[in-house]
Amino acid sequence: MEQREDVVIVGAGVIGLASALALLETGRSVRVIDAGRVGGGSSHGNCGTITPSHAPPLAAPGVVLKALRWMLTPDAPLYVAPRFDPRLWSWLLRFAVRCNDRDWRISARAKSAILNDSRVRLAEWVRDYGLACEFANSGEDYVYRDAHEFEHTQGEVDFLRELGVRVDVVDGPTYERIEPALKPGLAGAIRFDGDAVLRPDRYVSELARVVRERGGVIVEQCAFEGAQTQGDRVHIRTAQGELQARELVVALGAWSPKLADAIGAPSLKGLIQPGKGYSITYSSPNLVPRRPLVLRERQVCVTAWGSGFRLGSTMEFSGYDESLNPRRLDALERGAREYLHEPYGAQKQEEWYGWRPMSCDDIPIIGRVPGNPRVLLATGHGMMGVSMSAATGQLIADLVAQRTPAIDPTPYGIERFE
């Protein structure tokens, strides 16, 4: 017998579950399906920072030349594995065209709107739903050892303040007194008091708990195979049989291009690439930073929770390569040793990689599929899925409910690429 819901969501990561929760609050019945398990993708192992400060996109002036120089350095922070991949090179060309000041500012404003909304909304969710995910209004700091790099990044400070980001610039000796976990020799730090932190795997688990408590259904090991709209229903084929829904939300993250044809959005194949990130989780060292850090020259993120300590980040474009590259993991530890007195804990708990859904303009793709309005996309969040989760869920719910959205949906529609 076919199951019927108001909304079926494909993908039980942070975006799919946040969308489910927001939809349930509108009174819709919701079923979430996933080919694997809850939070089994890039939701699991990222550093859990909630970052309005990260509004500037990856597609920035000068990034292309830097990436070309790094192509021969397999442990570089941004690495494109040399190989014949026409779809990747097409994506990189789209990305490169946007690496100019005008498009950088347009993308930053679009990212800022959804990041700022999500920052406020996520804190409300933690409070209202009792999400036990080690959330803290921590702030975050960018830390520099290179004076030139520190000075260069300060050129973005005024623009960030225009976007509503709380920014302070601190010289090296002053910051060393503030943060004893860091070795001496700092050029300075840029501090973002409005950022926050949580433990992402626990956040996703808590979202799943609340979705189920509110009547949502989550089905794991249920692969999505395709969908067809007929009249006022979407017929959805899965590994466990057919479902019917009034609307379908596709929150497949980095797997979106692989199923683009199945949802009637073939252009996704050229708009999103999997960007591989790595992290290592340890027991906590005796001396941990007071706030999350980004060690800027090495692009290593450092996060400490009561339950553990994580080094993460890096960006690798190597397709859907499933190997856990030891050189990339070693680069995280090497970067941490350069900055921190105690760069990692005594017990290594997990080595991890995950594919982030990188859109070619570093802005998420959220909204209805042109020509198939009963199918909605919620993908392409890049490295900001956790940070943008609550706002994305609310935007999807507003679009389904056909009410005025909390933020303008225009910058996130797939139509922007036409």
Side-chain angles (χ1 to χ4, degrees):
M1 181 178 178
E2 293 178 346
Q3 295 285 339
R4 297 183 178 221
E5 261 79 31
D6 291 329
V7 184
V8 167
I9 298 174
V10 184
V14 71
I15 297 299
L17 292 171
S19 299
L21 177 54
L23 282 161
L24 287 164
E25 293 295 345
T26 70
R28 267 62 180 179
S29 60
V30 177
R31 179 177 293 262
V32 183
I33 64 172
D34 197 284
R37 58 182 177 82
V38 167
S42 60
S43 302
H44 175 79
N46 68 70
C47 284
T49 50
I50 312 302
T51 49
S53 62
H54 286 31
L58 185 63
V63 166
V64 173
L65 289 177
K66 185 179 289 187
L68 289 173
R69 289 197 303 269
W70 280 343
M71 280 190 70
L72 300 177
T73 309
D75 59 356
L78 173 63
Y79 177 62
V80 181
R83 68 188 193 282
F84 180 71
D85 186 340
R87 193 165 289 164
L88 170 63
W89 290 104
S90 174
W91 182 94
L92 286 170
L93 179 60
R94 286 174 177 258
F95 177 89
V97 166
R98 290 171 169 82
C99 290
N100 61 78
D101 186 71
R102 175 183 173 273
D103 287 330
W104 179 81
R105 289 176 180 270
I106 290 170
S107 295
R109 289 190 174 95
K111 287 184 68 178
S112 180
I114 192 167
L115 283 166
N116 287 338
D117 180 273
S118 201
R119 168 66 177 90
V120 174
R121 197 175 300 279
L122 199 154
E124 292 172 350
W125 282 13
V126 169
R127 179 197 67 208
D128 296 344
Y129 299 121
L131 304 181
C133 58
E134 300 187 62
F135 176 84
N137 295 305
S138 59
E140 183 180 35
D141 298 340
Y142 288 177
V143 184
Y144 300 81
R145 297 186 69 83
D146 182 88
H148 175 75
E149 187 72 18
F150 180 45
E151 183 179 357
H152 173 73
T153 310
Q154 289 178 55
E156 299 178 6
V157 165
D158 288 342
F159 181 56
L160 286 170
R161 287 175 176 150
E162 285 180 35
L163 299 176
V165 177
R166 292 152 55 191
V167 186
D168 288 311
V169 179
V170 180
D171 63 78
T174 299
Y175 190 77
E176 288 169 15
R177 290 193 294 271
I178 293 170
E179 182 48 83
L182 285 160
K183 292 179 177 179
L186 298 178
I190 300 178
R191 312 196 78 198
F192 304 103
D193 288 342
D195 287 5
V197 68
L198 51 72
R199 176 119 188 187
D201 49 345
R202 297 189 178 183
Y203 172 52
V204 174
S205 294
E206 285 290 277
L207 286 177
R209 173 184 63 80
V210 176
V211 165
R212 289 180 171 120
E213 287 177 354
R214 277 157 176 71
V217 177
I218 302 173
V219 184
E220 299 175 296
Q221 308 302 321
C222 181
F224 171 77
E225 296 176 349
Q228 184 175 8
T229 300
Q230 296 178 359
D232 63 351
R233 308 295 293 183
V234 184
H235 295 260
I236 302 148
R237 300 188 310 279
T238 81
Q240 296 187 21
E242 184 166 302
L243 306 172
Q244 285 192 30
R246 294 186 181 277
E247 284 164 297
L248 173 68
V249 176
V250 180
L252 282 165
W255 286 268
S256 301
K258 287 182 170 288
L259 290 159
D261 288 330
I263 59 173
S267 63
L268 278 178
K269 290 182 285 187
L271 299 178
I272 292 177
Q273 276 287 317
K276 196 174 184 182
Y278 292 81
S279 72
I280 312 173
T281 307
Y282 309 83
S283 58
S284 293
N286 293 320
L287 181 62
V288 299
R290 296 173 177 176
R291 296 159 66 127
L293 305 177
V294 178
L295 313 178
R296 284 289 285 184
E297 289 86 358
R298 300 295 173 248
Q299 293 297 319
V300 174
C301 183
V302 181
T303 309
W305 307 285
S307 62
F309 181 82
R310 182 168 290 169
L311 305 176
S313 197
T314 81
M315 180 64 69
E316 175 186 324
F317 290 100
S318 55
Y320 294 93
D321 171 48
E322 296 183 357
S323 64
L324 192 63
N325 188 332
R327 295 185 71 170
R328 308 293 286 172
L329 296 169
D330 289 347
L332 295 175
E333 293 189 332
R334 188 165 59 251
R337 286 196 299 269
E338 187 176 337
Y339 288 78
L340 298 173
H341 287 295
E342 296 190 36
Y344 30 78
Q347 180 186 359
K348 186 178 291 186
Q349 298 172 346
E350 182 181 31
E351 295 181 331
W352 175 91
Y353 77 85
W355 293 303
R356 312 172 181 110
M358 304 300 300
S359 72
C360 55
D361 62 358
D362 203 19
I363 301 171
I365 300 171
I366 307 168
R368 298 185 185 277
V369 173
N372 197 356
R374 293 193 175 276
V375 179
L376 293 92
L377 300 171
T379 187
H381 292 78
M383 297 179 285
M384 301 283 104
V386 172
S387 282
M388 295 179 176
S389 57
T392 299
Q394 189 60 52
L395 181 53
I396 288 291
D398 290 340
L399 293 171
V400 169
Q402 297 184 1
R403 63 191 183 193
T404 302
I407 58 174
D408 180 8
T410 307
Y412 316 106
I414 197 171
E415 297 89 348
R416 70 184 186 268
F417 297 107
E418 295 178 353

